[in-house]
Amino acid sequence: MSHSIPMELLFWQKKHKANAAGKAPISMRITIHGQRSEYSTKIRLLPSEWNPKAGKCRGTSQASIDLNASLKSLEGRARTTLDQLLALATPDQVITAKDVRQAMMPNKPTPGVDPLVSELLSSVREQHYAAGNEATYRGHGSAIAVWKRWCTEHPVRLSQLTEAKTRSFAGWLAEHYAPTSAATWLNALRAMLNKGAPTLLPNPFNDLAPKNAADQAKSRTHLTREQLQQFRDLPLSSEKQQLARAVYLCQYHLHGCRISNVLELRWRDIDWQLGRVKFKAVKRGKYKDVALTEPLRQLLTPYLKVGSDLVFPLLPEDYFSLDKAGRWIARRNATARVNGRLVVIARHLGLSVSLHSHTARHTLAGHAGKVNKYTAQAMLGHRSIEQTEAYLESLSTAELDEAAAAIYDVL
């Protein structure tokens, strides 16, 4: 049988299947010998974001570049899959477009088809995250890029993926990257392989994340009341450090909100007469209504500026007119600047904990949890009390004694 047959690939948007938000799915149409089969990319876009003539996303934003790269990778995987099916076919067997689509399904591998690990991982990433969690999509893309960098000269196929291979890769990561980055990538590769090759047991990426990386993450505990007071009163000559401290304290007073909420806080969200601050929680999409306390007024007042929209001057003035990818990059860069300045402040204070913007949330949880863990749950917006209890595990014996004393004093 000839090992070369013509196959046509076309990416098109199914506008008739648009969801309530107006976003329609992108599908890859596979055509062999006039017969067609559709492979869903799981990517949904507005019609204005799709170029039907070119068969790709419009625009030059990072999000458009990422999605177009994913489509290009998917096209290459389809052609590789066809070549593998032809190599396995008997002389009288006819390979159809449906066979190619079936062999490309991440959770339904075809016997004899041995994809490159990098192609399999890319397919899983496209299938599960392209139209969903943007941060996960980008993070898993970084993990795949590092994997490709390691096996550039000798690409690894799924049948060659052994524990020895992944241990070698983990050793290479340990030599070239920080433990936290290595742990993040190894966990991402493990998660993608679980989705793409669920029959591959045990997963060769299991238990490879550096243990010290997990310990390092846990070291970001909350500040005690004494430490928080020292942090508040520390003289700072740098306006940038003062701004970072104001953001941190604002997170604390706004019920331990995430830094994204503070970065996006606008003056229109603050009602000075009623004494309320109302803003949208990032993850759950609900609005929070918080009292404008005197400490919070003192934090916000120095940043009042005529004509300014954003409370804190950390995001670009045209932030809300940027596309989703542009806003994500702006928030990431602003968060990195704040965290860098907090590290310097912590060094001045001689704190034993790693000061980071998210520790403001842990700090509020620790202080509120001494009063009532269900109050802490409501303030933090946790779905379950188990989430809140995880925040309270770091309370020291002395802090527990303090909380107990407060309870007994009330009786």
Side-chain angles (χ1 to χ4, degrees):
M1 178 178 179
S2 171
H3 287 272
S4 178
I5 59 174
M7 177 176 68
E8 296 179 6
L9 299 173
L10 173 68
F11 291 103
W12 69 294
Q13 188 173 40
K14 295 183 174 182
K15 294 182 181 179
H16 60 288
K17 290 193 175 182
N19 59 18
K23 293 188 174 184
I26 306 300
S27 182
M28 181 172 69
R29 178 179 292 166
I30 305 170
T31 306
I32 298 177
H33 296 313
Q35 296 182 340
R36 295 176 177 175
S37 187
E38 299 289 337
Y39 181 88
S40 175
T41 66
K42 304 297 182 184
I43 297 172
R44 283 185 173 271
L45 297 171
L46 294 171
S48 59
E49 298 172 329
W50 180 251
N51 185 338
K53 292 185 178 179
K56 64 178 183 179
C57 302
R58 297 183 187 274
T60 57
S61 68
Q62 189 59 49
S64 298
I65 293 172
D66 288 344
L67 290 176
N68 284 331
S70 294
L71 297 179
K72 192 70 175 177
S73 173
L74 196 59
E75 182 179 347
R77 185 161 180 261
R79 299 193 183 282
T80 301
T81 301
L82 175 62
D83 292 340
Q84 291 185 334
L85 289 174
L86 289 172
L88 294 168
T90 59
D92 58 342
Q93 184 179 357
V94 177
I95 302 300
T96 66
K98 185 177 179 181
D99 293 330
V100 175
R101 180 188 68 82
Q102 183 68 26
M104 290 179 64
M105 297 299 287
N107 294 328
K108 300 176 182 178
T110 301
V113 175
D114 191 16
L116 289 170
V117 172
S118 57
E119 291 181 350
L120 178 66
L121 297 175
S122 296
S123 176
V124 171
R125 175 178 176 248
E126 294 150 9
Q127 285 282 324
H128 292 277
Y129 303 116
N133 189 317
E134 185 175 336
T136 302
Y137 182 71
R138 289 177 178 274
H140 284 199
S142 298
I144 295 171
V146 173
W147 171 262
K148 287 181 177 178
R149 197 173 303 141
W150 177 71
C151 58
T152 300
E153 296 182 3
H154 304 286
V156 179
R157 295 198 173 273
L158 187 60
S159 63
Q160 302 169 330
L161 189 64
T162 62
E163 289 187 14
K165 284 277 187 186
T166 54
R167 281 198 299 271
S168 176
F169 171 65
W172 177 80
L173 281 179
E175 291 179 5
H176 294 84
Y177 297 97
T180 47
S181 298
T184 300
W185 291 326
L186 288 168
N187 285 326
L189 293 170
R190 174 183 53 77
M192 285 187 282
L193 195 63
N194 278 337
K195 292 180 182 293
T199 58
L200 187 64
L201 298 172
N203 187 320
F205 284 105
N206 284 345
D207 303 322
L208 289 179
K211 301 299 181 184
N212 60 335
D215 295 339
Q216 181 177 343
K218 289 181 180 178
S219 70
R220 288 175 180 168
T221 55
H222 70 279
L223 298 180
T224 64
R225 290 191 180 278
E226 292 74 14
Q227 289 173 329
L228 186 65
Q229 190 62 46
Q230 292 172 8
F231 174 75
R232 193 193 311 266
D233 296 339
L234 181 69
L236 295 173
S237 58
S238 168
E239 291 185 2
K240 293 181 178 179
Q241 290 178 12
Q242 292 173 11
L243 177 59
R245 178 170 62 183
V247 169
Y248 186 97
L249 292 173
C250 191
Q251 285 183 257
Y252 174 81
H253 286 288
L254 290 177
H255 291 187
C257 70
R258 295 173 177 84
I259 189 172
S260 298
N261 297 129
V262 175
L263 293 177
E264 294 181 345
L265 193 65
R266 293 188 274 188
W267 292 114
R268 69 181 69 173
D269 300 328
I270 304 170
D271 192 323
W272 296 93
Q273 292 184 338
L274 292 179
R276 310 296 299 180
V277 181
K278 190 175 182 181
F279 59 93
K280 190 173 183 180
V282 172
K283 286 199 172 183
R284 298 181 62 182
K286 293 184 178 181
Y287 277 90
K288 295 195 71 172
D289 192 346
V290 180
L292 182 61
T293 60
E294 186 57 32
L296 194 52
R297 284 178 181 269
Q298 294 176 6
L299 281 173
L300 299 175
T301 302
Y303 295 96
L304 275 169
K305 180 182 176 182
V306 178
S308 175
D309 183 24
L310 291 161
V311 173
F312 295 108
L314 285 161
L315 298 176
E317 287 293 334
D318 62 344
Y319 171 79
F320 290 100
S321 65
L322 299 175
D323 59 16
K324 186 178 180 181
R327 292 196 299 271
W328 184 85
I329 292 171
R331 288 197 308 272
R332 180 196 63 187
N333 293 340
T335 301
R337 291 196 297 273
V338 169
N339 287 338
R341 295 162 190 169
L342 289 175
V343 169
V344 176
I345 296 174
R347 194 179 300 132
H348 289 328
L349 286 172
L351 295 177
S352 59
V353 297
S354 177
L355 196 61
H356 182 274
S357 60
H358 202 69
T359 62
R361 189 166 170 81
H362 287 256
T363 298
L364 185 279
H367 296 172
K370 293 177 184 178
V371 179
N372 186 299
K373 65 180 181 180
Y374 294 101
T375 300
Q377 178 190 4
M379 293 178 74
L380 294 168
H382 285 159
R383 290 182 181 274
S384 67
I385 194 62
E386 288 78 11
Q387 287 179 279
T388 308
E389 288 173 341
Y391 276 53
L392 304 180
E393 287 177 354
S394 61
L395 287 176
S396 66
T397 303
E399 289 171 317
L400 290 174
D401 289 343
E402 179 187 341
I407 293 171
Y408 295 133
D409 286 345
V410 174
L411 297 177

